Amino acid sequence: MIEFIARRLLLLVPVLLLVSVISFSIIYISPGDTAENAIMNPGGGVDRKAVEEFRAKTGLDEPVHIQYINWMGRVLRGDLGESYMTGVGVSEAIFRCFKVTLKLAVVSMLVSLVIALPLGIISAVKKGTVIDDVCRLFALAGVSMPNFWQAYLLIIVFALTLKVLPSSGYGDGGITYLFLPAVTLGTGYAAVTMRLMRSSMIEVLQQDYVRAARAKGVPEHMVIFRHALKNSLIPVVTVAGLNFGYLLNGSVIVETIFSWPGIGNLIVSSILSKDYPMIQGCVLFIAVIFVLVNFAVDISYAYLNPRIRYENKN
Amino acid sequence: MYLSKRNRITFMVMLLVMATVLGSLCIDQDSEEKTASANQTKPSGQESTLRYAATFGPEGTLDPAVKWTGWYLREAGVYETLFSYDENMNLQPELATKYEQVSDTEWRIFIREGVKFHDGTPLNADAVIYSLNRVLDDNNTRKGEYDFIESISKYSDSAVTIKTNSTYAPTIASLTDPVTSIVSPGTDLNIAPVGTGPFKFESYTQDVSLSLKKNDNYWNGTAGVDRAIIYFVTDEMTRLFKLESNEVDIADGLPQSEIAGLHNNPEYKIYSTPTLRTYFLYVNMNKEPLNDVKFRQALNYAIDRQQIVDTALEGVGGTPAKSFFGSMMSWSINDRIDMVSRDEQKVRSLLTEAGLEDINGDGWLEYDGKPFELNIKTYTGRPQLKPAAEVIEAQFESVGIKTSVTILDKGALETDLNNKDYDLSLYAWTVAPTGDPDYFVSKHFESTGAEAQKLSYSNPEVDEWIKAGRQTMNQTERKEYYDKVQEQVLDECPEIFVFYQNSLVGTNKKVAGFKQYPNEITFLTKDISIDE
Amino acid sequence: MKTKINKKNPGFFLSAGILVFFILAAIFAGYIAPHDPEKANLELRLKEPCREFPLGTDHMGRCILSRIIFGARISLSVGLLVVSSALALGLAVGSLSGYYGGWADEAVMRIVDAFLAFPSLLLALGIAGLFGAGFTNLVIALIVVDWAGYARLARSSVISVKEQDYIKASKGLGVGDMHVIVHHVIPNIISPLIVMATIGMGYVILSAAGLSFLGFGVQPPTPEWGSMLNEGKTYIRSAPYIMVFPGIAIMLVVLAFNYLGDELRDLIDPRTRKDIE
């Protein structure tokens, strides 16, 4: 097992390196002058001299591979640089925003589980029937609806017509402000989870010990809840981590509409204002989190399924 | 699956532990607010709080000398400047009482006495010098705009002397820009702003909100509300929703499409005023046939400005433009000139004179016998730009000029303009952030100006007038120069001016005393109150 | 692999029907659409659905029904272009990598992992946002983001198929590698990739709409469903039909692709197949 972990860990290094190269180069190959963008006046126009000074100060006049090396050097020391827009540390901003997004993501995942688990179980138990189809359709509808459309609909119904919830904003971070964004994100994600729950449950229901329990005369609901459920949940929960990416994707739009100061919003606004250090930092940060999450999931899969460990030896 | 019961339980426990860790991470409330004091008074039942949904806000720093942060903090009523403009664009003394021009290059500014900063320290010459020097600091990215200042020195405890490098008429006006906000020396301005305005800083959460308390010792009378909270909301519909669901009392930048509905709603008051923001087309005079004044004039007459206002701006977002200075500016010549209305006959004759003709009868004009297409570039960032560009496209096409619109982000567009890689470009500029006419004309029409080079515009006569305008102190003479510049530009059309943007602000009916300022940098004032 | 499709499954026919409808609309747009989707009629703006304009007009006076019909062309072609290119690229890279194995395989897989490390919308946003809006950039951004998933799936499929007897037999007979790959390996791994592509279509259409909604999509006046939603945002109360209809269109098409993809997956997946027998 240790050997397995060590091998996987070693493989992480080139991946992270490539991720950093990709993060860095997107900015570099995109059009537009970096220094000009940073100094630009919201009223319009740039001051030539200020542009030159800025270029020299931030090292933008050096050749690209030198810039990359400098950047990586700072990154490895934990310094993601300073935002062009605010002069404030990129890492600070990222951590602050990430906490917000994480909160939204976790609650959204809970929402999606609340929707998906019952639907998945019912669907699996009643496989092949109309109920199965209806449940699947329901979950699919959630994933097929563009989430910005859904967000506006929810705002109009709950905030403007019924006036029971705030229409936007982070507020005190409490449940009322969390509700609409989490529901929007969660329903989108529910189908993915539901599908997994369904197939996992179907497989478990075919296991010998389930058939044995049925043969023994155990009532159906006991079979489902006592015997089948526990085991079918395992892959669902494990995979939940992997699908974090899906949530981050959705958070970009949802945070923009609900004015949540999360990392999705941060990325959109830094792309719009061409705040390169911020963009690079965010992209790198998110990708690294991803890689680490995938790594953790790989390890837990291997722990659960010894065959994977041995297969990977060649 | 393949686990023994024991292993399964272990795994579940592991997951539970991870979930608890994650959960505790999230449940702890965001406590990264920057607070000025340890005691934060919670709004009690008797305190009045004004809640404002704003489009723009500080971007991490609260230091007014950094970029345009000063503008946001002045709007919040925290900082003030030596001079400012009232709602009719008249220059008025604020933290200064008057100024004297001692010589061509020397100005004396007298500071208001008896004013105290929020922390109790007095406003005096030392504070003024300290504040202004922060802008002149080498590390300040906006230093270039104040390069005309040679030195600032103390004349007395309540007066300073500013020496300029050469005769510079816009000197006093430049002191209205909130980058020159007067701050209390010795405080860490990034964390706790200390100004002289009607509102005191209380707390700030980046991209979320800014909390303020009324300044009981404000030199100009106390504010009508006890507290104010500004929420930063970038989406215009969301700002509107917040106003309608009573989460805020006042919201700026309301969506144009909703104004008509709000006017009919007695619950809300709508304020609309023309601002200093003019929308205009850059014309690339480096290209044919754009280098032909007749073609440019044809384009000018092909635009139906009123129709743009009625459609792209829903009739409320702006007013048709004559020259680049709006009518509220004292430098405007709008009452002397006629509005350029769409005139199809004139357009056709001008186009023919410029060499455009529909030879093959396909409905589109050809230039020099070859198929011709005009492209309008504009950028995201202001919601009025795209629809306005599309309407202009339709108006050009209706006189036979095949047109297309390309939307870029500002950075990419700036690059294209610098490389003269465009035909026409629709832009929005605040034409006088300090109320002074030199800013816009020197950049756009003086041949050394950055924008004039993008246009490939150079007229030696105009250069003379601009230079003279900058160095003449006599207001009447100055006005003559800028009048001449405007008339010449309107004749030659290196830029075509389309409309002036209106600022659209909505309040609920309880809010009283709100006034709009055309330069948009004064917003929260002491006059605002809430009638319960 | 062929099992009988449940003829009593209404969902299947409904989804197929929806897709056929939109595909036909896309192909014959010029004939079906009642008006020019790009021509502005400023006097007729913001009209409610009526006989002349069955779905109303938008803020520039353009017929919404016509824009949705032509929009089908845009959305479906973006989807098709992106998915087919990503599939082709991923299949090529993945199968070659898996077939030959060794260090090259490890290196290629690390690159694939690196691309998969980014949440797709964020990377697409970065690319489209930084390189500028427009149809081409949108397609390129989505391809860059999508291909890695196909590569990984192709590779793992190739690895499991590689050791099959018929492959070994071919190689033993001296058949060239490329021939083996093209004629024996690929046909046997293509099915899960097709499933991925079908579901991927839906996802690409949603992503394209999302990017257009944020302002990074096609140029005006091109009628793309996502940018129609963006333009309709401020009219959501005064003229909700501008946003409602394109939203429904997106939802129907994506739903249909997802449902079909699900059905296909059920057919192919050996775990659920046991029940169908």
Side-chain angles (χ1 to χ4, degrees), chain B residues 69-93:
Chain B
T69 310
W71 291 37
Y72 308 127
L73 288 169
R74 183 194 168 77
E75 282 166 24
V78 174
Y79 284 119
E80 296 179 306
T81 46
L82 290 170
F83 298 93
S84 67
Y85 287 97
D86 69 13
E87 66 268 27
N88 297 314
M89 282 309 288
N90 295 317
L91 185 70
Q92 62 183 4

PDB file of all heavy atoms in Angstrom, chain B residues 69-93:
ATOM      1  N   THR B  69      -9.690  54.457  -5.801  1.00  0.00           N
ATOM      2  CA  THR B  69     -10.309  54.145  -4.521  1.00  0.00           C
ATOM      3  C   THR B  69     -10.919  55.385  -3.882  1.00  0.00           C
ATOM      4  O   THR B  69     -11.966  55.321  -3.242  1.00  0.00           O
ATOM      5  CB  THR B  69      -9.264  53.534  -3.563  1.00  0.00           C
ATOM      6  OG1 THR B  69      -8.591  52.477  -4.239  1.00  0.00           O
ATOM      7  CG2 THR B  69      -9.922  53.016  -2.321  1.00  0.00           C
ATOM      8  N   GLY B  70     -10.235  56.513  -4.063  1.00  0.00           N
ATOM      9  CA  GLY B  70     -10.730  57.759  -3.472  1.00  0.00           C
ATOM     10  C   GLY B  70     -12.137  58.077  -3.943  1.00  0.00           C
ATOM     11  O   GLY B  70     -12.967  58.592  -3.190  1.00  0.00           O
ATOM     12  N   TRP B  71     -12.416  57.763  -5.210  1.00  0.00           N
ATOM     13  CA  TRP B  71     -13.744  58.048  -5.756  1.00  0.00           C
ATOM     14  C   TRP B  71     -14.803  57.286  -4.960  1.00  0.00           C
ATOM     15  O   TRP B  71     -15.835  57.860  -4.586  1.00  0.00           O
ATOM     16  CB  TRP B  71     -13.812  57.620  -7.230  1.00  0.00           C
ATOM     17  CG  TRP B  71     -12.977  58.468  -8.127  1.00  0.00           C
ATOM     18  CD1 TRP B  71     -11.760  59.020  -7.860  1.00  0.00           C
ATOM     19  CD2 TRP B  71     -13.306  58.873  -9.443  1.00  0.00           C
ATOM     20  NE1 TRP B  71     -11.305  59.736  -8.922  1.00  0.00           N
ATOM     21  CE2 TRP B  71     -12.231  59.652  -9.922  1.00  0.00           C
ATOM     22  CE3 TRP B  71     -14.404  58.652 -10.280  1.00  0.00           C
ATOM     23  CZ2 TRP B  71     -12.216  60.220 -11.197  1.00  0.00           C
ATOM     24  CZ3 TRP B  71     -14.384  59.201 -11.544  1.00  0.00           C
ATOM     25  CH2 TRP B  71     -13.302  59.981 -11.995  1.00  0.00           C
ATOM     26  N   TYR B  72     -14.547  55.984  -4.713  1.00  0.00           N
ATOM     27  CA  TYR B  72     -15.550  55.176  -4.015  1.00  0.00           C
ATOM     28  C   TYR B  72     -15.747  55.667  -2.593  1.00  0.00           C
ATOM     29  O   TYR B  72     -16.866  55.679  -2.070  1.00  0.00           O
ATOM     30  CB  TYR B  72     -15.121  53.701  -3.995  1.00  0.00           C
ATOM     31  CG  TYR B  72     -14.761  53.173  -5.365  1.00  0.00           C
ATOM     32  CD1 TYR B  72     -13.545  52.549  -5.590  1.00  0.00           C
ATOM     33  CD2 TYR B  72     -15.624  53.327  -6.440  1.00  0.00           C
ATOM     34  CE1 TYR B  72     -13.206  52.072  -6.835  1.00  0.00           C
ATOM     35  CE2 TYR B  72     -15.292  52.856  -7.695  1.00  0.00           C
ATOM     36  CZ  TYR B  72     -14.083  52.230  -7.888  1.00  0.00           C
ATOM     37  OH  TYR B  72     -13.747  51.769  -9.131  1.00  0.00           O
ATOM     38  N   LEU B  73     -14.630  56.092  -1.960  1.00  0.00           N
ATOM     39  CA  LEU B  73     -14.755  56.521  -0.576  1.00  0.00           C
ATOM     40  C   LEU B  73     -15.391  57.899  -0.467  1.00  0.00           C
ATOM     41  O   LEU B  73     -16.031  58.220   0.536  1.00  0.00           O
ATOM     42  CB  LEU B  73     -13.386  56.479   0.102  1.00  0.00           C
ATOM     43  CG  LEU B  73     -12.958  55.027   0.329  1.00  0.00           C
ATOM     44  CD1 LEU B  73     -11.514  54.951   0.755  1.00  0.00           C
ATOM     45  CD2 LEU B  73     -13.843  54.412   1.391  1.00  0.00           C
ATOM     46  N   ARG B  74     -15.236  58.720  -1.495  1.00  0.00           N
ATOM     47  CA  ARG B  74     -15.917  60.010  -1.483  1.00  0.00           C
ATOM     48  C   ARG B  74     -17.414  59.787  -1.668  1.00  0.00           C
ATOM     49  O   ARG B  74     -18.242  60.419  -1.025  1.00  0.00           O
ATOM     50  CB  ARG B  74     -15.376  60.905  -2.599  1.00  0.00           C
ATOM     51  CG  ARG B  74     -16.007  62.254  -2.556  1.00  0.00           C
ATOM     52  CD  ARG B  74     -15.777  63.085  -3.802  1.00  0.00           C
ATOM     53  NE  ARG B  74     -16.654  64.231  -3.755  1.00  0.00           N
ATOM     54  CZ  ARG B  74     -16.440  65.295  -3.002  1.00  0.00           C
ATOM     55  NH1 ARG B  74     -15.359  65.360  -2.250  1.00  0.00           N
ATOM     56  NH2 ARG B  74     -17.309  66.296  -3.008  1.00  0.00           N
ATOM     57  N   GLU B  75     -17.755  58.842  -2.567  1.00  0.00           N
ATOM     58  CA  GLU B  75     -19.168  58.519  -2.763  1.00  0.00           C
ATOM     59  C   GLU B  75     -19.781  58.031  -1.464  1.00  0.00           C
ATOM     60  O   GLU B  75     -20.965  58.229  -1.217  1.00  0.00           O
ATOM     61  CB  GLU B  75     -19.317  57.429  -3.826  1.00  0.00           C
ATOM     62  CG  GLU B  75     -19.167  57.947  -5.231  1.00  0.00           C
ATOM     63  CD  GLU B  75     -18.972  56.818  -6.231  1.00  0.00           C
ATOM     64  OE1 GLU B  75     -19.389  55.676  -5.942  1.00  0.00           O
ATOM     65  OE2 GLU B  75     -18.404  57.076  -7.296  1.00  0.00           O
ATOM     66  N   ALA B  76     -18.955  57.375  -0.649  1.00  0.00           N
ATOM     67  CA  ALA B  76     -19.448  56.868   0.631  1.00  0.00           C
ATOM     68  C   ALA B  76     -19.515  57.978   1.680  1.00  0.00           C
ATOM     69  O   ALA B  76     -19.957  57.743   2.796  1.00  0.00           O
ATOM     70  CB  ALA B  76     -18.554  55.734   1.116  1.00  0.00           C
ATOM     71  N   GLY B  77     -19.041  59.156   1.336  1.00  0.00           N
ATOM     72  CA  GLY B  77     -19.115  60.273   2.271  1.00  0.00           C
ATOM     73  C   GLY B  77     -18.017  60.274   3.323  1.00  0.00           C
ATOM     74  O   GLY B  77     -18.139  60.946   4.340  1.00  0.00           O
ATOM     75  N   VAL B  78     -16.945  59.540   3.081  1.00  0.00           N
ATOM     76  CA  VAL B  78     -15.888  59.458   4.080  1.00  0.00           C
ATOM     77  C   VAL B  78     -14.832  60.536   3.875  1.00  0.00           C
ATOM     78  O   VAL B  78     -14.415  61.214   4.810  1.00  0.00           O
ATOM     79  CB  VAL B  78     -15.219  58.061   4.029  1.00  0.00           C
ATOM     80  CG1 VAL B  78     -14.026  58.002   4.956  1.00  0.00           C
ATOM     81  CG2 VAL B  78     -16.224  56.995   4.385  1.00  0.00           C
ATOM     82  N   TYR B  79     -14.400  60.695   2.613  1.00  0.00           N
ATOM     83  CA  TYR B  79     -13.338  61.658   2.339  1.00  0.00           C
ATOM     84  C   TYR B  79     -13.864  62.873   1.592  1.00  0.00           C
ATOM     85  O   TYR B  79     -14.876  62.813   0.906  1.00  0.00           O
ATOM     86  CB  TYR B  79     -12.241  61.006   1.483  1.00  0.00           C
ATOM     87  CG  TYR B  79     -11.352  60.078   2.264  1.00  0.00           C
ATOM     88  CD1 TYR B  79     -11.260  58.735   1.944  1.00  0.00           C
ATOM     89  CD2 TYR B  79     -10.592  60.558   3.336  1.00  0.00           C
ATOM     90  CE1 TYR B  79     -10.439  57.895   2.654  1.00  0.00           C
ATOM     91  CE2 TYR B  79      -9.772  59.710   4.047  1.00  0.00           C
ATOM     92  CZ  TYR B  79      -9.697  58.379   3.714  1.00  0.00           C
ATOM     93  OH  TYR B  79      -8.887  57.545   4.415  1.00  0.00           O
ATOM     94  N   GLU B  80     -13.117  63.986   1.750  1.00  0.00           N
ATOM     95  CA  GLU B  80     -13.443  65.194   0.996  1.00  0.00           C
ATOM     96  C   GLU B  80     -12.170  65.759   0.404  1.00  0.00           C
ATOM     97  O   GLU B  80     -11.070  65.380   0.779  1.00  0.00           O
ATOM     98  CB  GLU B  80     -14.093  66.224   1.926  1.00  0.00           C
ATOM     99  CG  GLU B  80     -15.429  65.755   2.491  1.00  0.00           C
ATOM    100  CD  GLU B  80     -16.022  66.776   3.415  1.00  0.00           C
ATOM    101  OE1 GLU B  80     -15.323  67.193   4.364  1.00  0.00           O
ATOM    102  OE2 GLU B  80     -17.189  67.169   3.206  1.00  0.00           O
ATOM    103  N   THR B  81     -12.368  66.697  -0.518  1.00  0.00           N
ATOM    104  CA  THR B  81     -11.218  67.309  -1.183  1.00  0.00           C
ATOM    105  C   THR B  81     -11.224  68.813  -0.920  1.00  0.00           C
ATOM    106  O   THR B  81     -12.158  69.345  -0.338  1.00  0.00           O
ATOM    107  CB  THR B  81     -11.296  67.070  -2.699  1.00  0.00           C
ATOM    108  OG1 THR B  81     -12.629  67.359  -3.138  1.00  0.00           O
ATOM    109  CG2 THR B  81     -10.973  65.631  -3.046  1.00  0.00           C
ATOM    110  N   LEU B  82     -10.162  69.479  -1.370  1.00  0.00           N
ATOM    111  CA  LEU B  82     -10.072  70.917  -1.131  1.00  0.00           C
ATOM    112  C   LEU B  82     -11.199  71.660  -1.838  1.00  0.00           C
ATOM    113  O   LEU B  82     -11.797  72.591  -1.308  1.00  0.00           O
ATOM    114  CB  LEU B  82      -8.703  71.439  -1.594  1.00  0.00           C
ATOM    115  CG  LEU B  82      -7.534  71.005  -0.738  1.00  0.00           C
ATOM    116  CD1 LEU B  82      -6.216  71.357  -1.406  1.00  0.00           C
ATOM    117  CD2 LEU B  82      -7.615  71.645   0.640  1.00  0.00           C
ATOM    118  N   PHE B  83     -11.453  71.250  -3.085  1.00  0.00           N
ATOM    119  CA  PHE B  83     -12.537  71.864  -3.851  1.00  0.00           C
ATOM    120  C   PHE B  83     -13.407  70.759  -4.422  1.00  0.00           C
ATOM    121  O   PHE B  83     -12.964  69.629  -4.578  1.00  0.00           O
ATOM    122  CB  PHE B  83     -11.969  72.715  -5.005  1.00  0.00           C
ATOM    123  CG  PHE B  83     -11.112  73.845  -4.538  1.00  0.00           C
ATOM    124  CD1 PHE B  83      -9.739  73.680  -4.421  1.00  0.00           C
ATOM    125  CD2 PHE B  83     -11.662  75.076  -4.206  1.00  0.00           C
ATOM    126  CE1 PHE B  83      -8.932  74.726  -3.977  1.00  0.00           C
ATOM    127  CE2 PHE B  83     -10.865  76.125  -3.769  1.00  0.00           C
ATOM    128  CZ  PHE B  83      -9.501  75.941  -3.656  1.00  0.00           C
ATOM    129  N   SER B  84     -14.649  71.112  -4.757  1.00  0.00           N
ATOM    130  CA  SER B  84     -15.504  70.111  -5.390  1.00  0.00           C
ATOM    131  C   SER B  84     -16.522  70.815  -6.277  1.00  0.00           C
ATOM    132  O   SER B  84     -16.539  72.037  -6.365  1.00  0.00           O
ATOM    133  CB  SER B  84     -16.210  69.260  -4.339  1.00  0.00           C
ATOM    134  OG  SER B  84     -17.129  70.059  -3.621  1.00  0.00           O
ATOM    135  N   TYR B  85     -17.338  70.009  -6.937  1.00  0.00           N
ATOM    136  CA  TYR B  85     -18.377  70.569  -7.810  1.00  0.00           C
ATOM    137  C   TYR B  85     -19.734  70.312  -7.194  1.00  0.00           C
ATOM    138  O   TYR B  85     -19.994  69.244  -6.656  1.00  0.00           O
ATOM    139  CB  TYR B  85     -18.308  69.915  -9.200  1.00  0.00           C
ATOM    140  CG  TYR B  85     -17.129  70.384 -10.005  1.00  0.00           C
ATOM    141  CD1 TYR B  85     -15.959  69.642 -10.042  1.00  0.00           C
ATOM    142  CD2 TYR B  85     -17.186  71.578 -10.714  1.00  0.00           C
ATOM    143  CE1 TYR B  85     -14.876  70.079 -10.769  1.00  0.00           C
ATOM    144  CE2 TYR B  85     -16.108  72.022 -11.441  1.00  0.00           C
ATOM    145  CZ  TYR B  85     -14.950  71.278 -11.464  1.00  0.00           C
ATOM    146  OH  TYR B  85     -13.872  71.714 -12.183  1.00  0.00           O
ATOM    147  N   ASP B  86     -20.622  71.283  -7.310  1.00  0.00           N
ATOM    148  CA  ASP B  86     -21.978  71.053  -6.825  1.00  0.00           C
ATOM    149  C   ASP B  86     -22.786  70.362  -7.913  1.00  0.00           C
ATOM    150  O   ASP B  86     -22.254  69.999  -8.956  1.00  0.00           O
ATOM    151  CB  ASP B  86     -22.631  72.359  -6.361  1.00  0.00           C
ATOM    152  CG  ASP B  86     -22.927  73.305  -7.513  1.00  0.00           C
ATOM    153  OD1 ASP B  86     -22.858  72.886  -8.702  1.00  0.00           O
ATOM    154  OD2 ASP B  86     -23.246  74.469  -7.240  1.00  0.00           O
ATOM    155  N   GLU B  87     -24.088  70.192  -7.655  1.00  0.00           N
ATOM    156  CA  GLU B  87     -24.875  69.388  -8.587  1.00  0.00           C
ATOM    157  C   GLU B  87     -25.081  70.082  -9.927  1.00  0.00           C
ATOM    158  O   GLU B  87     -25.608  69.493 -10.863  1.00  0.00           O
ATOM    159  CB  GLU B  87     -26.232  69.011  -7.975  1.00  0.00           C
ATOM    160  CG  GLU B  87     -27.163  70.167  -7.733  1.00  0.00           C
ATOM    161  CD  GLU B  87     -27.013  70.742  -6.340  1.00  0.00           C
ATOM    162  OE1 GLU B  87     -25.912  70.629  -5.768  1.00  0.00           O
ATOM    163  OE2 GLU B  87     -27.991  71.313  -5.827  1.00  0.00           O
ATOM    164  N   ASN B  88     -24.690  71.348 -10.037  1.00  0.00           N
ATOM    165  CA  ASN B  88     -24.784  72.042 -11.318  1.00  0.00           C
ATOM    166  C   ASN B  88     -23.425  72.257 -11.944  1.00  0.00           C
ATOM    167  O   ASN B  88     -23.261  73.109 -12.813  1.00  0.00           O
ATOM    168  CB  ASN B  88     -25.486  73.395 -11.132  1.00  0.00           C
ATOM    169  CG  ASN B  88     -26.907  73.213 -10.661  1.00  0.00           C
ATOM    170  OD1 ASN B  88     -27.637  72.381 -11.191  1.00  0.00           O
ATOM    171  ND2 ASN B  88     -27.291  73.964  -9.646  1.00  0.00           N
ATOM    172  N   MET B  89     -22.445  71.505 -11.495  1.00  0.00           N
ATOM    173  CA  MET B  89     -21.078  71.587 -12.007  1.00  0.00           C
ATOM    174  C   MET B  89     -20.453  72.957 -11.794  1.00  0.00           C
ATOM    175  O   MET B  89     -19.663  73.421 -12.621  1.00  0.00           O
ATOM    176  CB  MET B  89     -21.024  71.206 -13.501  1.00  0.00           C
ATOM    177  CG  MET B  89     -21.087  69.703 -13.743  1.00  0.00           C
ATOM    178  SD  MET B  89     -19.901  68.737 -12.769  1.00  0.00           S
ATOM    179  CE  MET B  89     -18.389  69.158 -13.584  1.00  0.00           C
ATOM    180  N   ASN B  90     -20.788  73.603 -10.677  1.00  0.00           N
ATOM    181  CA  ASN B  90     -20.093  74.834 -10.319  1.00  0.00           C
ATOM    182  C   ASN B  90     -19.005  74.492  -9.314  1.00  0.00           C
ATOM    183  O   ASN B  90     -19.242  73.760  -8.354  1.00  0.00           O
ATOM    184  CB  ASN B  90     -21.054  75.832  -9.662  1.00  0.00           C
ATOM    185  CG  ASN B  90     -22.131  76.281 -10.639  1.00  0.00           C
ATOM    186  OD1 ASN B  90     -21.853  76.552 -11.803  1.00  0.00           O
ATOM    187  ND2 ASN B  90     -23.366  76.343 -10.152  1.00  0.00           N
ATOM    188  N   LEU B  91     -17.836  75.030  -9.549  1.00  0.00           N
ATOM    189  CA  LEU B  91     -16.726  74.772  -8.639  1.00  0.00           C
ATOM    190  C   LEU B  91     -17.025  75.442  -7.309  1.00  0.00           C
ATOM    191  O   LEU B  91     -17.423  76.601  -7.266  1.00  0.00           O
ATOM    192  CB  LEU B  91     -15.422  75.324  -9.224  1.00  0.00           C
ATOM    193  CG  LEU B  91     -14.154  75.024  -8.420  1.00  0.00           C
ATOM    194  CD1 LEU B  91     -13.823  73.539  -8.525  1.00  0.00           C
ATOM    195  CD2 LEU B  91     -13.000  75.848  -8.945  1.00  0.00           C
ATOM    196  N   GLN B  92     -16.851  74.711  -6.216  1.00  0.00           N
ATOM    197  CA  GLN B  92     -17.118  75.302  -4.912  1.00  0.00           C
ATOM    198  C   GLN B  92     -16.010  74.908  -3.950  1.00  0.00           C
ATOM    199  O   GLN B  92     -15.394  73.848  -4.086  1.00  0.00           O
ATOM    200  CB  GLN B  92     -18.471  74.822  -4.386  1.00  0.00           C
ATOM    201  CG  GLN B  92     -18.515  73.321  -4.189  1.00  0.00           C
ATOM    202  CD  GLN B  92     -19.871  72.832  -3.735  1.00  0.00           C
ATOM    203  OE1 GLN B  92     -20.834  73.593  -3.627  1.00  0.00           O
ATOM    204  NE2 GLN B  92     -19.961  71.547  -3.472  1.00  0.00           N
ATOM    205  N   PRO B  93     -15.753  75.748  -2.974  1.00  0.00           N
ATOM    206  CA  PRO B  93     -14.738  75.389  -1.983  1.00  0.00           C
ATOM    207  C   PRO B  93     -15.312  74.322  -1.065  1.00  0.00           C
ATOM    208  O   PRO B  93     -16.499  74.352  -0.735  1.00  0.00           O
ATOM    209  CB  PRO B  93     -14.498  76.704  -1.230  1.00  0.00           C
ATOM    210  CG  PRO B  93     -15.734  77.497  -1.415  1.00  0.00           C
ATOM    211  CD  PRO B  93     -16.363  77.059  -2.696  1.00  0.00           C
TER     212      PRO B  93
END
